[in-house]
Amino acid sequence: MSILHTVNKSPFERNSLESCLKFATPGASVLLFEDGIYAALSGTRIEPQVAAALDQITIHVLGPDLRARGFSPERLIAGISVVDYAGFVDLAAEHDVVQAWL
Amino acid sequence: MADMIEVDGKQYAVDEEGYLANLNEWVPGIAGVMAKQDNLELTDEHWDIINFLREYYEEYQIAPAVRVLTKAVGKKLGKEKGNSKYLYSLFPYGPAKQACRFAGLPKPTGCV
Amino acid sequence: MSEVVKKFMYLNRKAPYGTIYAWESLEVVLVGAAFDQDVSVMFVDDGVYQLTKAQDTKEIGMKNFSPTYRTLGDYEIKKVYVDRDSLAARGLTQDDLVAIAWEDMETEEEVDNIVEVIDSARVSALMNESAAIFSF
C-alpha cells in the first residue's frame, strides 16, 4: 500500500514535516504545498533532514505555492520535483491513501 | 445586496460606500458618472490625480491614505500639486477617498 | 493625536498567504501610521518570508500584497528590521528581500533601503525599548 503524505505547514513553525518524515516508509511520496514549500528550499536549517529523506521517498512541491512565495525551482534541494495542480491530482490518484499532516 | 451604478448602459456593482466592487471592471466613464453624482465636472487636473492613483495601485496594490497621496503627488506631479489645499480644491469630499472612488479603487488604507 | 510620542513595535512572525496574520499586520501598520508614533516593523522567524522578492500569487488566487511593503516609506515608517538568525536558518540573505525606499519631502533626505538586517541582541534591545509590542 502506498501513501501520499501532504504537508502544508512551515517546518520552522510546526512539527508536521518532522512527523511526516518520521512515519513515511520507503517508497512513499510527499507533497509540500502552501507554507509547506519552505521545507523544499536549499540552504535552510532543515535541509540535511529533507535531503536524507530523499534516499527513501520522493518529494514534490506545488509550483503555484512556490511562485506565490517568491521562489523559483532553482532554489529547491536537488531531487525535489515541481508539480502543478493537475500533478497534485495525479499523485493523489496514484496512491492508495492520502495522509494530510495538518 | 450590492448597489449598482449605470455607465453607458452597463451596470456596475458598488459597495455601500459607493466604491466599485471589482476594480478590474473600471472604465473612465465610471469616474464621470460618479463625479456627476457628486456635482463635479472632471477636468484634466482631476484626471491627473485619478490616473496617478490607478498607477499607484498597480505598483503597490494599495489605495494610499491622503497624506501619502499628497506626498506622492508632490514627488510625481510637482510640489505645487502636492499639497492638501490643491487636492481638496479638486476633490472636496477628500482627495484620497473621493478620487480613489472615481478611480475604481477600494477605500484608502489608513484613512481614519 | 496623542502628545507623547511612544515607541511601538509591530512584531511579525508568520509567513504570508498560509495564514491571514501577515496581511492583517500590514493593514494595521498602515492604518496606525496615521497616529504619528515612533513605529518599528520587525520581522523574525517565518515573518522574514513576508519580504521575499518576486512573489507571484496569480496561480493561487490570492492578492499579492508584497508590493505594498514598499509603501511603508511613504507612510513615514523609517524603521524596518529583519532578524539575521531567522534569515540564515532559512537559507536567505538580504538580497532575497525587497528594498523599501524612504524620502523626506522637506529636507529631500533619501534612503534607498530602510530594511536593516540586525542581530538578535539588537532585536531584544529594541523590544525592551518599546512602549507596546503588537504581535502577529
Side-chain angles (χ1 to χ4, degrees):
Chain A
M1 194 169 84
S2 70
I3 298 185
L4 173 67
H5 299 268
T6 66
V7 177
N8 71 336
K9 298 295 188 295
S10 164
F12 306 108
E13 201 187 57
R14 305 276 188 96
N15 60 4
S16 310
L17 178 81
E18 198 185 330
S19 295
C20 167
L21 295 181
K22 178 180 165 191
F23 293 110
T25 51
S29 297
V30 174
L31 177 80
L32 303 170
F33 72 113
E34 294 175 357
D35 288 347
I37 67 101
Y38 294 121
L41 301 173
S42 59
T44 73
R45 189 177 72 200
I46 60 137
E47 179 180 359
Q49 253 174 285
V50 178
L54 280 166
D55 292 342
Q56 309 275 346
I57 59 179
T58 57
I59 302 181
H60 311 271
V61 63
L62 191 62
D65 284 326
L66 188 66
R67 288 186 280 276
R69 288 159 180 76
F71 296 99
S72 59
E74 296 90 77
R75 297 293 291 263
L76 298 176
I77 296 167
I80 295 182
S81 62
V82 180
V83 297
D84 57 13
Y85 291 118
F88 190 163
V89 174
D90 290 342
L91 281 171
E94 284 162 15
H95 292 79
D96 302 308
V97 172
V98 177
Q99 156 57 17
W101 296 88
L102 300 174
Chain B
M1 261 265 295
D3 296 319
M4 308 294 281
I5 67 165
E6 186 177 315
V7 179
D8 297 330
K10 269 188 78 177
Q11 298 285 325
Y12 297 90
V14 294
D15 69 14
E16 67 277 11
E17 293 180 281
Y19 291 84
L20 194 65
N22 181 358
L23 88 134
N24 297 319
E25 286 183 348
W26 186 83
V27 290
I30 287 177
V33 170
M34 287 179 172
K36 201 164 265 168
Q37 289 173 349
D38 289 1
N39 294 315
L40 270 185
E41 192 73 44
L42 293 182
T43 63
D44 288 351
E45 285 72 31
H46 290 100
W47 280 108
D48 282 347
I49 304 301
I50 292 169
N51 290 328
F52 175 84
L53 278 169
R54 288 194 64 84
E55 283 163 26
Y56 195 93
Y57 192 91
E58 179 66 30
E59 180 164 2
Y60 298 114
Q61 297 296 306
I62 193 179
V66 61
R67 62 182 192 159
V68 176
L69 172 69
T70 308
K71 188 173 161 182
V73 164
K75 211 149 109 184
K76 184 87 183 288
L77 303 175
K79 270 198 168 147
E80 69 285 356
K81 297 190 173 180
N83 63 77
S84 51
K85 199 176 159 200
Y86 171 78
L87 292 170
Y88 270 95
S89 74
L90 291 176
F91 299 100
Y93 290 117
K97 284 181 190 168
Q98 195 176 24
C100 283
R101 188 156 47 78
F102 293 176
L105 306 184
K107 191 176 172 180
T109 304
C111 270
V112 287
Chain C
M1 295 290 153
S2 50
E3 285 154 27
V4 183
V5 173
K6 289 187 173 165
K7 289 191 173 178
F8 287 163
M9 178 188 287
Y10 293 92
L11 178 58
N12 298 286
R13 298 183 49 248
K14 301 279 197 282
Y17 310 118
T19 62
I20 196 69
Y21 289 96
W23 172 240
E24 296 267 295
S25 171
L26 183 55
E27 283 207 303
V28 172
V29 168
L30 296 177
V31 172
F35 293 103
D36 284 323
Q37 299 295 341
D38 180 348
V39 168
S40 62
V41 185
M42 179 72 74
F43 296 89
V44 305
D45 297 334
D46 278 356
V48 303
Y49 286 131
Q50 294 177 29
L51 295 180
T52 56
K53 280 182 198 163
Q55 294 177 24
D56 180 357
T57 60
K58 270 197 302 287
E59 296 166 285
I60 64 166
M62 292 175 78
K63 179 189 169 84
N64 178 3
F65 53 87
S66 66
T68 307
Y69 291 100
R70 292 190 288 110
T71 66
L72 289 176
D74 292 343
Y75 277 77
E76 307 289 347
I77 287 162
K78 205 183 172 182
K79 300 175 181 174
V80 179
Y81 303 105
V82 178
D83 173 47
R84 190 185 310 278
D85 292 342
S86 301
L87 275 184
R90 289 159 183 77
L92 302 175
T93 66
Q94 180 144 26
D95 287 343
D96 294 308
L97 307 180
V98 293
I100 301 172
W102 180 91
E103 185 187 348
D104 186 319
M105 291 301 285
E106 303 302 316
T107 63
E108 299 194 354
E109 181 197 352
E110 279 182 59
V111 182
D112 289 339
N113 188 8
I114 56 172
V115 180
E116 213 183 318
V117 177
I118 60 177
D119 59 33
S120 54
R122 182 96 191 282
V123 177
S124 305
L126 289 165
M127 289 175 77
N128 289 335
E129 287 172 13
S130 300
I133 300 173
F134 302 101
S135 192
F136 291 90

